[in-house]
Amino acid sequence: MEFSWNEENGHIIRQKREEEEEETDKAKEDSLLIAERIRELVEDDKNLEEKREIKKLDTQPVKANRDIFNEKGNHSKDENVDPHLRLCNGCSYEIEDGLSVSAFGFIWHSQCLCCLYCHKPIALNERKFHRLCYKEHRRPNCYICSKKIPSTKEGIKYHKHPFWEEKYCPSHDDDGTAKCCSCERLQAYETEYVMLADNRWLCLECKETAVMDTDECQSLHFEIREFFKGLNMKVEKAIPLLLVGKEVLNQAEEENANGVVTRGICLSEEEMVTRVPGEPNKQLVVMAREESQRVVRNYKVIAILILNGLPRLLTGYILAHEMMHAYLRLKGYRNLDTVLEEGICQVLGHMWLESQRCPNINAASSSSSRTSPSDTTSKIGDQSDFEKKLVEFCINQIETDESPVYGNGFKKVNEMMLSNDYNIKDTLKGIAIASKTLLYQQVGK
């Protein structure tokens, strides 16, 4: 009879073990779901309710082995089940001797309850992750000083460049940290920036292709003229090009009402010319007063000035922009709306940058005449990884510009280009008509 009772009791124990194994598997799945939920909550620093939930989980106390046994013993309805038979939620092995802990509603070997970040055991006085690990992963490093971005009463606040996406302490905006005048990146510690003669900073990556003087820019000048020629917009007259320092452009910056730092200028002047009927080739510099003579206006482009020390890609974009101003002057486009004129010039600069990004696709994709890419393809093929990123940066600067003149102008003219199937000549006609309409509206007021 004793043998029979042991056999029956053993069957009950095995049945209970199977039930506990099923409960353990379910508990393990729930534990993994909870752990994954915690990771999601920690990563989301903006949701207040989730942060409160994390805090609530963080404050969940750990329990000693004896407390677990007491709780389980009080709730056990079957006195024949061994109350000390427990499985670790981490390794699924039986907890026999030694200290165990309770977390997330389950019991663990002390060495199996590990930090969610470093995966090392957590001490009894800690919770689901080490305090230092929590701080390290919750607070990003500043890319400038390499330190943890400090927290404030409002939480962790950092600045991030909209394109480069590098996070840094807000204090670096005002503490004298050098900023590249080309790519706009702040100088990280243990990196070198160079200062130009006019006190502008330049990072070493931008310095690699910087165009420093007029002689170095001549090949780029020729390339831009060929680009215009490929768009059926040949600039007939030779235009002097000069690379100058910032001090030469200071006056233009002071007079600039658009709130944009000047990096290029197209200098032109209006001439009053008298034409004599019957002698179309003869021009008199002095204005005649006879009724048989007609006074007309001509624009003369004196020179294009470009800020020196900028990388080739940025210099080319500025030159394409100013060359479009020169083209408009030489072709007699007068009294254009400022927003629309700057917009078409931005569009041309954007097109040239796109030609540098896509060697097999010409900027004037819908034009009947296209630029031969043979000369520029080799330059594009030699671009470094940084130059490829710099092209995208310059394009992004144009497309995301929110300024009322340059940014708004680009968006308006770009829509006009789209409606005209990217035909520049038709777009220029539309700009001229729209400018006259706006002028009449202003006069009417």
Side-chain angles (χ1 to χ4, degrees):
M1 292 294 294
E2 183 177 356
F3 176 79
S4 178
W5 183 87
N6 288 337
E7 184 178 8
E8 182 178 358
N9 188 49
H11 175 73
I12 294 174
I13 292 175
R14 285 193 299 273
Q15 185 177 359
K16 290 295 182 181
R17 284 183 177 178
E18 291 176 357
E19 292 176 356
E20 285 192 356
E21 286 179 358
E22 292 179 0
E23 293 179 359
T24 300
D25 291 340
K26 185 177 184 303
K28 189 172 182 180
E29 292 179 2
D30 293 341
S31 176
L32 292 174
L33 290 175
I34 292 173
E36 181 63 27
R37 178 60 176 159
I38 291 171
R39 291 189 184 96
E40 294 176 356
L41 295 177
V42 171
E43 292 175 355
D44 190 354
D45 189 36
K46 297 181 179 179
N47 192 307
L48 182 60
E49 292 299 323
E50 289 183 339
K51 287 194 288 186
R52 288 176 179 172
E53 187 176 346
I54 293 175
K55 185 176 181 181
K56 183 178 179 181
L57 291 173
D58 275 341
T59 55
Q60 190 177 45
V62 295
K63 301 178 181 179
N65 192 34
R66 58 180 180 275
D67 297 327
I68 299 171
F69 291 157
N70 289 338
E71 288 184 6
K72 293 296 182 180
N74 293 336
H75 288 84
S76 176
K77 296 181 180 179
D78 193 339
E79 297 180 356
N80 294 324
V81 178
D82 185 358
H84 298 286
L85 183 60
R86 298 291 183 269
L87 297 180
C88 171
N89 191 58
C91 66
S92 299
Y93 284 98
E94 181 181 352
I95 298 176
E96 296 178 348
D97 299 321
L99 189 64
S100 63
V101 293
S102 175
F104 312 132
F106 310 105
I107 58 174
W108 313 65
H109 289 114
S110 59
Q111 68 271 19
C112 291
L113 181 60
C114 297
C115 171
L116 292 177
Y117 288 132
C118 70
H119 306 295
K120 294 181 179 179
I122 300 176
L124 287 176
N125 61 345
E126 294 184 288
R127 296 178 178 87
K128 60 182 175 292
F129 26 57
H130 301 118
R131 291 180 176 85
L132 289 178
C133 289
Y134 181 84
K135 292 179 180 179
E136 287 289 323
H137 287 77
R138 192 167 177 78
R139 293 166 52 195
N141 286 326
C142 170
Y143 97 94
I144 295 175
C145 63
S146 300
K147 297 179 181 179
K148 288 296 175 182
I149 294 177
S151 59
T152 63
K153 293 181 180 180
E154 293 79 18
I156 298 174
K157 302 292 184 181
Y158 56 81
H159 289 175
K160 182 174 71 171
H161 192 280
F163 178 81
W164 303 108
E165 297 186 344
E166 294 166 326
K167 300 175 182 178
Y168 60 92
C169 304
S171 60
H172 295 310
D173 280 329
D174 304 312
D175 63 2
T177 300
K179 182 178 182 179
C180 179
C181 64
S182 169
C183 66
E184 297 184 351
R185 295 181 302 168
L186 293 173
Q187 181 184 13
Y189 287 176
E190 298 183 354
T191 62
E192 293 184 13
Y193 276 31
V194 296
M195 180 178 283
L196 302 178
D198 52 10
N199 297 325
R200 286 178 292 137
W201 288 102
L202 197 65
C203 71
L204 295 185
E205 289 88 350
C206 288
K207 181 179 178 296
E208 284 293 320
T209 60
V211 184
M212 301 305 298
D213 56 47
T214 302
D215 290 338
E216 292 181 10
C217 196
Q218 292 307 313
S219 60
L220 185 58
H221 185 192
F222 176 78
E223 180 181 328
I224 299 297
R225 292 178 72 94
E226 288 296 304
F227 176 77
F228 272 70
K229 181 180 178 181
L231 298 173
N232 285 330
M233 297 169 59
K234 183 178 180 180
V235 180
E236 299 290 347
K237 295 185 179 181
I239 301 174
L241 171 65
L242 299 174
L243 261 66
V244 298
K246 187 177 179 180
E247 65 279 359
V248 178
L249 301 175
N250 279 343
Q251 182 178 358
E253 288 185 36
E254 294 173 359
E255 296 176 354
N256 189 349
N258 300 325
V260 179
V261 176
T262 302
R263 293 184 294 190
I265 301 175
C266 175
L267 299 177
S268 63
E269 63 181 6
E270 188 177 27
E271 294 180 318
M272 305 295 289
V273 181
T274 302
R275 295 186 184 275
V276 181
E279 299 181 42
N281 296 327
K282 183 178 179 181
Q283 295 184 350
L284 303 178
V285 177
V286 181
M287 182 184 300
R289 296 184 180 274
E290 289 81 357
E291 294 182 0
S292 61
Q293 296 176 343
R294 181 167 55 93
V295 177
V296 296
R297 294 178 177 179
N298 282 345
Y299 280 99
K300 178 181 179 182
V301 177
I302 301 173
I304 291 178
L305 307 183
I306 304 292
L307 189 62
N308 67 358
L310 300 176
R312 173 186 172 276
L313 289 167
L314 185 53
T315 303
Y317 148 64
I318 298 171
L319 181 53
H321 178 106
E322 301 303 331
M323 188 70 76
M324 188 59 191
H325 278 300
Y327 177 85
L328 294 174
R329 297 292 178 270
L330 295 174
K331 292 298 180 180
Y333 288 92
R334 296 188 296 273
N335 301 322
L336 294 181
D337 177 70
T338 301
V339 173
L340 296 179
E341 180 174 346
E342 294 297 345
I344 187 62
C345 293
Q346 285 291 80
V347 166
L348 263 293
H350 185 273
M351 291 171 64
W352 183 80
L353 286 170
E354 284 191 325
S355 74
Q356 301 300 292
R357 179 173 63 180
C358 307
N360 296 324
I361 302 175
N362 192 21
S365 57
S366 299
S367 175
S368 59
S369 177
R370 292 179 169 81
T371 305
S372 175
S374 59
D375 293 335
T376 59
T377 301
S378 60
K379 296 183 179 66
I380 298 171
D382 295 337
Q383 285 181 354
S384 64
D385 290 339
F386 176 75
E387 286 182 282
K388 294 174 184 177
K389 293 179 181 178
L390 188 61
V391 172
E392 301 303 323
F393 167 74
C394 293
I395 291 175
N396 179 265
Q397 289 287 91
I398 298 174
E399 294 176 346
T400 60
D401 186 2
E402 297 296 333
S403 64
V405 176
Y406 292 88
N408 191 33
F410 171 77
K411 293 179 177 63
K412 286 184 176 181
V413 176
N414 200 43
E415 290 179 1
M416 296 174 69
M417 289 281 288
L418 180 61
S419 64
N420 289 317
D421 294 328
Y422 293 95
N423 187 302
I424 299 179
K425 297 296 180 65
D426 290 344
T427 302
L428 286 175
K429 292 178 182 178
I431 290 175
I433 295 172
S435 298
K436 288 182 179 180
T437 303
L438 291 171
L439 182 61
Y440 291 150
Q441 290 175 351
Q442 293 174 1
V443 172
K445 294 179 181 180

